[in-house]
Amino acid sequence: MNIAANPVVEADQTVYLKDYQKPSFLVDSINLDIQVFDEQTYVNAKLVMQRQTAGDLVLLGRDLELKSILLNGKALSESDYTLDAEQLVIAHAPDQAVIETQVVIHPESNTQLEGLYQAGSDLFVTQNEPEGFRKITFYPDRPDVLSVFTTRVEADKKFPVLLANGNLIEAGEAGAGRHYTIWQDPTKKPSYLFACVIGDLAVLKDRYVTSEGRDVALEIYAVEKDIPKCRIAMEALKHSMQWDEEHYGRPYDLDNYMIVATSQFNMGAMENKGLNIFNTSCVLADEEFTTDAAIMRVQSVIAHEYFHNWTGNRITCRDWFQLCLKEGLTVFRDQSFSEDLQSAAVQRIDDVAVLKAHQFPEDSGPLSHPPRPDHFVEINNFYTATVYEKGAEINRMMSTLLGKEKFRKGTDEYFSRHDGQAVTVEDWVAALTAGSGVDLSAFLTWYNQPGTPKLEAKGQYDAAAQTYRLSLKQSLKAHPKYPDLKAVPIPVALALFNAESGEQLILNSSALVENAVQDGVYLFDAESADIEFSGVAAKPVVSLLRNFSAPVDLEFNYSDEELAFLMQHETNGFNQWQAAQTLLERILLNDHAAGIYIQAMKNTLPELIQKDPLLASRLFDVPSEGYLGSRIDAGYSPAAIQEKRNALLETLARELGAFCKETFLALDPDLQKEFSQAMGVRALKNIMLGMMARQGDAQAFELAYEQYQATGNMSERLGALRVLVWNDAPQAQAALEDFYARFKEEALSLDQWFMVQAAHPKASAATIQYLTAHPDYDLTTPNRIRAVSGGLNANPVNTWSFGVQHFIGLAKYLDEKNPIVGSRLLQALSRWYTLAEPQRGQVKAELEALKLQVKSKNVSETLNSMLNV
Ligand code: B3K
Ligand code: ZN
């Protein structure tokens, strides 16, 4: 009857936070009947609705073929409602309205991976956050409409697994070789948390008994051959359940928890109530097939989605502007969980490295937005580093300020006030304030304005008075859309050290939150302030922003010697690493000499390698070319940065070469008891191999090839493969062929084969052409696209030459096929305006030409913002 056409981009489709209005109708219950056939799927829905405020009854729907609609049992004709590409509106609906619709949808040809879609020949899954449910049926598809879902799923018996959220209440035959199940979810939830799965999958089962005595059935579904790779995820799930009970007092609330793995997924995973759907990359973990980093990521994403059960599902967002309410808090929770799994310092280092490499550049460029944006065109474009990672930092700051106990009182208050509700960032901060007894309302400013604050600090020692004075100043770069930027509260964690002995001093200052202690925090909430420390017998070395206590850009004129001192004596591992990073950045961007860093490494490493090999490995992190580029706002030359960085790597290899070889030969990951330690040893050995190869050690390639062949561990195998391939070793081709033969049936491992070649520093347009024309390259699988594009983007010199065509071509293709992924990948070019001419003008012209060709809201909005500099 009616086919809603593809949405057309109109002049202004901007949605504003200030325009929020309550929905006029709520949904008490929904009964869904989903019948999947090869060529189409029938969806029948019955919504029991009640008026809440005056206004039309609005049902959102996209790409739905409407077969029939009934209101309170009476069929409606086309004149009874208005229907366009986005919604069906019934004016003057009665206060009690039972709506029954029948629609036809086409998951078998849904390439956007949103709504219900076919993911390979044996599987159908859903992805409904943020606005996918409207592609399944007509519904008030917004997070502030919570309802009880009962779902019947029917399909051919070639799909033995039929899942939906909640409890299985019925299953049976449906005739003609078909069967069905009926599921009821007792918890009221918004439609973005609805999920169903139809497929041929095997299952790994386990159980967990909650602190309340609830016996929960745990199930992870994957293709048969991947079931052994689900064990680490299962352990992580049980661990997460226990962790949330211990740290937040939150037990699980249903009788089952299911996870389904699919290789076709736009992002990492999705927290649908009781039925998570995961990208295989975030659930399959096995040392033979996946790297240590991937194993850590699996554990953290499992925890993240599980933690959403309370922060996101039981308490959800009132509207999508509040996305960071659930994401920022849940990321903070999963980061804290991961700090318990490995070296806590390294977890913090890795989290901050992501923040600095992605969020800081985002916040200083044309895609900058507040953690809680106040307008958008396409909400899918706002699943950003700012919403997630900066959002997490805001929560971390409040938790640092409150300390464990008060923060817990605050979160307890939040859960008891708002369980079952759809709320705002203001509600969260108010509950934390009420529970802890500490006014946190000033932190709302962090949520509402964009930009990374600059924190300038100066220190002055007065020998006669034995005082040390620290002067602080904060500022934000002017932003055209936010003229009214305010000072934000910045918790500054700090320490003073005796410059001679390296010992940490007791802090004496009435200004500190924690006074007369070794570990102090100062809450800096003005535009400028001075703090004085008394009883300081000699000029100290100060360490600022310990553990990265606030997401700010710190400027303090440390001498290189002081940074080297902190590398050796700081007891906070994060600041130890940060000191090394600052030193390296100065060497690379300001031409400082490398000698001090090298000496500090020689002094620090022998002991640290024994104590925390993972942290030791991170001290070798030389800031990436991409990160260095992001520190330059104009006249950026990727080639000049590459040259400098290579020169530094040569120097390091020369100066540390002997030490590296010795360490490589002495270390054995199999002698380590803890996973974190073994992972550190593997990381160190791979770095050492790289150094030896760069130094031209004749034995390096042999040792790498030996490691490649002898190991059964993916981190070791891939580490060796990288050294061989990136240095064009004689064994490189043989190793690549071997890797392909070994792993051609293992999609995640094969992604690494693509990535390693795309990330070759000397990759060319021909390399990318070869990879994207390879029979295993697959434009319907985001993981594979990301493997090549991400690899290519590891070398900015390549990104900004032949890479431009690659990313523009992809954006053009994905604009129609999968705009969520297309928009995301295009952001690789978002810092085009910082390039030196003529590159700047060339890329700009390409982007402007692209703008005339794209149609999706996703890609158009991103392009418009990118070009608006
Ligand atoms: N909430 C989902 C993200 C959905 C993204 C939609 N484009 C995963 C997560 O953050 O847990
Ligand atoms: Zn999340």
Side-chain angles (χ1 to χ4, degrees), residues 129-130 267 269-271 304-305 308 326-327 380 383 388:
E129 184 182 355
M267 65 273 173
M270 177 64 211
E271 69 264 24
H304 180 96
E305 306 311 332
H308 266 316
K326 75 177 178 80
E327 294 305 345
N380 268 303
Y383 287 76
Y388 275 65

Side-chain angles (χ1 to χ4, degrees), residues 444-633:
L444 283 169
T445 310
W446 276 103
Y447 285 102
N448 291 331
Q449 62 188 28
T452 304
K454 189 202 270 187
L455 173 62
E456 288 169 88
K458 290 201 174 88
Q460 205 179 18
Y461 180 64
D462 181 337
Q466 302 219 325
T467 56
Y468 181 77
R469 173 180 292 269
L470 193 63
S471 307
L472 301 172
K473 216 175 105 184
Q474 64 168 298
S475 58
L476 267 168
K477 209 168 79 184
H479 194 294
K481 285 195 200 151
Y482 298 87
D484 212 9
L485 298 173
K486 294 198 196 80
V488 284
I490 302 177
V492 182
L494 49 85
L496 296 180
F497 291 88
N498 180 315
E500 293 303 318
S501 68
E503 297 211 339
Q504 196 180 332
L505 306 177
I506 297 286
L507 297 174
N508 287 316
S509 169
S510 55
L512 298 185
V513 177
E514 298 286 343
N515 199 20
V517 288
Q518 278 195 329
D519 299 288
V521 176
Y522 172 66
L523 180 63
F524 174 44
D525 55 2
E527 272 170 26
S528 63
D530 281 8
I531 339 166
E532 195 171 86
F533 299 92
S534 58
V536 185
K539 186 178 179 208
V541 177
V542 64
S543 186
L544 290 170
L545 229 53
R546 297 180 99 203
N547 222 34
F548 206 59
S549 58
V552 298
D553 198 1
L554 173 66
E555 255 188 40
F556 183 78
N557 69 339
Y558 282 114
S559 66
D560 288 358
E561 288 74 15
E562 283 172 325
L563 291 167
F565 172 96
L566 290 174
M567 277 177 70
Q568 292 166 69
H569 299 291
E570 226 318 2
T571 48
N572 179 263
F574 173 82
N575 268 29
Q576 228 179 333
W577 174 83
Q578 183 58 62
Q581 291 296 295
T582 309
L583 252 183
L584 286 165
E585 207 174 310
R586 287 175 179 193
I587 299 167
L588 288 160
L589 296 179
N590 307 330
D591 295 320
H592 286 216
I596 291 185
Y597 166 79
I598 292 166
Q599 191 52 48
M601 287 292 270
K602 285 185 179 160
N603 298 345
T604 311
L605 287 171
E607 205 185 309
L608 192 60
I609 286 178
Q610 300 308 319
K611 205 174 89 193
D612 188 346
L614 197 58
L615 178 57
S617 76
R618 293 301 195 274
L619 291 192
F620 282 92
D621 287 347
V622 174
S624 71
E625 289 171 37
Y627 171 74
L628 293 166
S630 78
R631 305 288 289 168
I632 297 171
D633 283 334

Side-chain angles (χ1 to χ4, degrees), residues 789-827:
S789 300
L792 163 57
N793 199 27
N795 293 294
V797 168
N798 298 344
T799 303
W800 294 112
S801 49
F802 57 88
V804 174
Q805 282 309 328
H806 171 80
F807 285 106
I808 288 199
L810 262 181
K812 225 181 276 179
Y813 175 82
L814 293 171
D815 179 50
E816 189 205 326
K817 298 283 185 204
N818 188 338
I820 294 179
V821 172
S823 165
R824 180 57 64 102
L825 290 174
L826 185 61
Q827 292 176 23

